[in-house]
Structure formats: C-alpha cells, structure tokens
Amino acid sequence: MKRPGFLLPLALLAVPTLLAAQGAAPAAPPSTAAVAKSALDAATANTVAINFVWTLSAGFLVMFMQAGFALVETGFTRAKNAAHTMTMNFMVYAIGMLAYWAVGFAIQGGGVGPLATLGGYDKLNQEFSLGLGGHSWGLFGHTGFFLTGVAYTAPVFAYFLFQMVFMDTAATIPTGAMAERWKFSAFCVFSIFIGALIYPLFGNWVWGGGWLSQLGTNLHLGHGDVDFAGSSVVHMTGGVLALVGGALLGPRLGKYNRDGSANAIPAHNLPMGLLGSFILAFGWFGFNAGSTLAGSDLRIGVIATNTMLASAGGAATAMLYMWRKYGKPDPSMVANGFLAGMVAITAPCAFVTAPSAVFIGAVAGVLVCVAVAFFERRARIDDPVGAISVHGVNGLWGVLSLGLLADGTYGDGYNGVVGGVRGLLYGDPGQFVAQVIGGATNFVVVGALAYLAYKITGVLVGGHRVSPEVELQGLDVPEMGVLAYDGGHRPEEFPVMFPVEMAEEEAPALVMSAGSR
C-alpha cells in the first residue's frame, strides 16, 4: 500500500520537537535529606555572618572606649599636663597595637583552638605546655606572630581586632595612675612590654587555653578560672600595672606634707571627666556583650542589661557613701563608682541574675571609695585618677563575685566542663577556689613582670620621671612641645600646689625624694 508523500517530511519535523520535549521534562524532585542539608548550610552561613558582624561591631565599640579613657584621665588631672596626658592615651593605641600584632597575639591566642562561632577555623593550635601530675598545662601560644601564616583568614583577623582592643584597654590604665610626672619616652617603652608580653601571657592562661582555664578539666575546680569579659584579664592586669608603676614612680610634687598627710590636687575639668565616663559606659556594651563572639547568642540581652544595672549600682552607692562621710556627693567619685560597677560586673555578667548584678555594682561603688582613701592616705601611692582602685581592686572583686554568685544557668561546656557555671552560693565551692587562684596569680605574676619591665625601661631611657623643673612647669611644653590650651595662657596661669608649710623654693627637694627616677 502506498503511503502519502507528506508523512516523511512530517516525521522529520517531529523528531526535534520530541527531543526538545524530552529535554524540557522536569527533573526529579530533590530528596528530603538534600533539602535539609541545603537549609542547614544556609542557616550556618548566616549564623557565622551574624557572628562576624557582631564581633567586629563590638570591637569598634571597645576601640571607642579609648576616647573615654583619654577624657577621664585628662579631665581629672591638671591643665598644664593636658596635652601630655591626652597624647599618652592616644599613642598607647598605636604602640600597644603594633607590639601585640608582632608578638602578643601569638603568645595569647596562638593555641586558642577552633574559633567555633566564627566558622570553626582551627589552625591557632600551637600551645606550649608542660606535663605535670598526668595533665598538660598550657603556658603560651606560639603561632601567628605578625599575623603570618594566616593571610586573609577572616576569622583570625576578626578575632585579632577584638582581642587587640581589649589589650589596649589594659595598657591605657597605668597612664592615669602615672600621669603628670611620667616621661613620655618611658611610657612608650613600657607600653611595648604590656602589649608584647605582660597582657598576652595572662590572657593566654585565662582565654587562650592556658593553665588557669584548665583548672576545671585537670583538677575539677569548677570550670577553671572563668572571666567572661575581663575583670581580671583586662582590668585587674591594668590595675596591678598601675599599682607597681605608681608606687615606683613616686607621688607628684606637693601631694604629701612632711607629716605624710595628703593634699588634694583638684581636677582641671570635671565635665570632661564625667563625659569620658559616659563614653566608657557606651563602649562597655561591646566590651561585655561582645565577648560572646556571637550575635546569635541571645544571652547578649542579659549581659548588656546586667552591665547597665551594675554601673547604676556603683554610681549610686559611691554618691551615697561620699555624701554621708564628707557631706557632699563628690562628682569625681560618682564617676569612679560608675566605672567600678562596670569593672566588677565584667567577669560575671553572663552568669548572674539582675539583683546580683545590682549588688555587685553597689559593693564596687563603696569599695572604690574606701580603696581610693586607703591608697592615698595609708599606702601613700599617688594615683591622680583612682585607676588602681577602679580597675585593680574591683577587677579582683569581679572575679570573686563570679565565684560566689554564678547561678548555673549559663556556661555549659565553658572551658571544656559540662554543666553551667555555678558559684559557691549555688553549690560549687571549687569554682570560688579557681577564681581565688586566678586573682592571686594575676597579682603576683603581673606585678613581678611590671616591676621587671619598669626597671628595664628605666635603664633604656634613663629613668622614668621628669625633672623637678619640668614637673613644676607642666609636661606639655617640655615633653610635647605645645600647650593643650594655647589660647593666650601663660605658665603663671597654671599654679603648682605645695604643702602650706613649704616655701616654693623648697619644692624641688620633695620631688627628689618622691620615688625612683
């Protein structure tokens, strides 16, 4: 049978159409497991990105605290030294950072282990340790010098930035206690020691996988030494540096009479000091809440609020104490109580209730007033801004308060120990013991290293203290080459205070006996 002639062309045209139809057929739907994995990967990537932004933003806030320190210290000292004091606070940022970048970061964080919240990078794993009693005890890290070997590794760079601004906070604390008589060259060299060695070493022991953090896993003392955001690592370290430096440097000219009684040397700009305190409080939200290194950790709301409550408790009790004891609410001590409350809550902020946070801050407010009077009148250590009392004394109170009041609702897995962090009053005396060991270690080791660094610096730059003539004139022009307030002011507008029974020509003799040079 003869087929119609048009069928062959029609068939030839149909073949490409059928092939195209086969190509356009929908693919088989993905499996449930594949969909779940894709969603999990996307959620993980988003969480890591949130943590990155949070950590960097918190680091920026902590960096801005340097402006607060500069205003507090400059405002609480005298006008004739304002340029010198402000410049120390400015340059400690650069000097300390370079020392930390070159050496300090590797010592502190070179053995920290995986950066879990920032993507899990695990190559910072070189910790020098000693074996003792069947356990390994970390002493210092040794990878990441000059940030080499981690080029363009974003988690390490973010972690470095955050940790660097914490170091800078500790490094700037001694400048307040040693203000108005410290040679600028000595300050520069001493700051290198802080950024390269002193701060990083203790930081490694608590935050970098070192031996204090291992007291829990090795000796079953709670979770080991716990310091969530730096009451001891940052503030007590800075306070001990200030204590050693202030004691060795000696008091300012005219601070003490022949009978040992102290003279007040008033601040030249209280509004500047109080404004600086508020700037510090603003940055402190990054300081404490940022220490989660995770914006995805909703505990940040508790941490930030506890920080705020403790600052209020400290300011209120400092005001009431001074008002009752001296008849007036001293503005400078109100500011110091405000700061002391935040210093104290910095270690326990994630682990305590709101009432405990207020209590910790309230104790700090009284403690700073008592400590200022003690160091000035009994110990006769001249601390122009109260740095030893605010940061050193209340840094210790902060770590001890954690050992007392942590309630076990947070910190599961912290320092490798299962369960939440609990203090003595919530059933774990071992945690309090670990906190005592950590505080005592800070005082002894940081104090000893500060003494050595001070002595070596003195040899390198020819002493720490300016001459009596420079101290009388003010450090701005002799040390910095410029007056802070160069609006027609003359040297005679910056009076020098002397004990009432001392003639002005006798004043240099007091400086010569005021401490090591």
Side-chain angles (χ1 to χ4, degrees), residues 124-491:
L124 295 176
N125 57 7
Q126 302 298 314
E127 178 82 1
F128 178 81
S129 302
L130 290 179
L132 187 64
H135 300 291
S136 177
W137 301 90
L139 293 180
F140 58 87
H142 54 90
T143 187
F145 295 99
F146 297 94
L147 287 180
T148 54
V150 293
Y152 303 113
T153 305
V156 176
F157 277 59
Y159 185 68
F160 169 84
L161 184 149
F162 189 76
Q163 291 297 335
M164 192 290 298
V165 291
F166 274 57
M167 177 281 304
D168 188 60
T169 298
T172 203
I173 291 169
T175 63
M178 301 166 75
E180 303 202 278
R181 72 269 201 210
W182 200 14
K183 285 169 58 175
F184 191 77
S185 58
F187 148 77
C188 291
V189 175
F190 192 71
S191 296
I192 293 172
F193 280 104
I194 297 173
L197 176 63
I198 299 174
Y199 175 89
L201 187 63
F202 189 77
N204 173 270
W205 294 350
V206 180
W207 288 344
W211 69 274
L212 286 173
S213 69
Q214 297 170 314
L215 291 173
T217 54
N218 287 351
L219 299 182
H220 307 293
L221 295 176
H223 286 64
D225 184 17
V226 175
D227 184 354
F228 188 76
S231 286
S232 65
V233 176
V234 178
H235 296 284
M236 188 178 177
T237 295
V240 171
L241 289 164
L243 173 64
V244 173
L248 293 174
L249 191 60
R252 291 168 291 174
L253 175 63
K255 178 63 182 177
Y256 293 103
N257 300 315
R258 289 195 181 100
D259 62 2
S261 59
N263 295 302
I265 301 180
H268 90 276
N269 195 327
L270 275 175
M272 179 188 290
L274 294 175
L275 176 61
S277 299
F278 264 112
I279 291 174
L280 285 169
F282 177 66
W284 228 294
F285 289 121
F287 204 97
N288 285 4
S291 291
T292 58
L293 301 181
S296 56
D297 184 345
L298 301 186
R299 196 71 167 194
I300 59 178
V302 174
I303 295 166
T305 300
N306 279 347
T307 302
M308 185 170 61
L309 289 171
S311 70
T317 54
M319 178 190 72
L320 293 172
Y321 180 90
M322 297 301 290
W323 207 339
R324 178 174 178 80
K325 188 170 182 64
Y326 300 104
K328 299 292 181 183
D330 183 339
S332 63
M333 290 309 301
V334 167
N336 276 340
F338 183 67
L339 298 176
M342 289 183 287
V343 168
I345 199 61
T346 293
C349 56
F351 307 105
V352 299
T353 64
S356 291
V358 174
F359 172 75
I360 291 167
V363 171
V366 174
L367 197 56
V368 73
C369 296
V370 174
V372 164
F374 170 80
F375 285 112
E376 179 179 72
R377 298 171 188 173
R378 297 295 183 88
R380 287 198 280 275
I381 297 174
D382 184 14
D383 180 358
V385 303
I388 301 167
S389 303
V390 171
H391 300 279
V393 172
N394 282 288
L396 178 60
W397 162 234
V399 293
L400 296 180
S401 70
L402 183 152
L404 292 171
L405 297 168
D407 67 357
T409 61
Y410 186 75
D412 186 17
Y414 199 98
N415 286 338
V417 178
V418 176
V421 178
R422 295 182 183 276
L424 175 64
L425 299 181
Y426 289 85
D428 189 355
Q431 187 63 59
F432 185 73
V433 173
Q435 301 304 110
V436 171
I437 293 172
T441 301
N442 184 289
F443 182 78
V444 172
V445 175
V446 173
L449 291 175
Y451 180 86
L452 290 174
Y454 185 95
K455 292 299 183 181
I456 294 170
T457 298
V459 172
L460 293 175
V461 302
H464 280 265
R465 187 154 183 158
V466 298
S467 69
E469 294 76 20
V470 168
E471 188 173 350
L472 283 169
Q473 178 182 349
L475 278 63
D476 280 6
V477 173
E479 285 275 294
M480 312 311 302
V482 64
L483 282 170
Y485 304 108
D486 194 16
H489 293 92
R490 294 176 173 80

Side-chain angles (χ1 to χ4, degrees), residues 1-144:
M1 175 175 146
K2 189 175 179 180
R3 299 177 184 276
F6 65 86
L7 290 179
L8 181 59
L10 185 62
L12 292 174
L13 289 172
V15 169
T17 303
L18 291 171
L19 292 174
Q22 290 176 2
S31 67
T32 302
V35 172
K37 183 179 184 304
S38 177
L40 179 62
D41 289 345
T44 300
N46 287 338
T47 299
V48 170
I50 290 169
N51 294 344
F52 259 89
V53 173
W54 170 250
T55 300
L56 289 172
S57 298
F60 304 154
L61 281 172
V62 178
M63 181 269 182
F64 189 56
M65 291 175 71
Q66 196 61 39
F69 277 112
L71 292 175
V72 169
E73 293 181 10
T74 303
F76 284 176
T77 52
R78 288 172 289 185
K80 65 179 181 178
N81 301 310
H84 185 271
T85 304
M86 185 68 77
T87 306
M88 285 196 297
N89 279 271
F90 191 93
M91 283 309 299
V92 74
Y93 177 74
I95 295 169
M97 183 197 306
L98 292 175
Y100 189 73
W101 162 71
V103 179
F105 177 72
I107 291 175
Q108 180 181 342
V112 70
L115 302 175
T117 62
L118 300 176
Y121 182 81
D122 61 356
K123 298 301 187 290
L124 295 176
N125 57 7
Q126 302 298 314
E127 178 82 1
F128 178 81
S129 302
L130 290 179
L132 187 64
H135 300 291
S136 177
W137 301 90
L139 293 180
F140 58 87
H142 54 90
T143 187

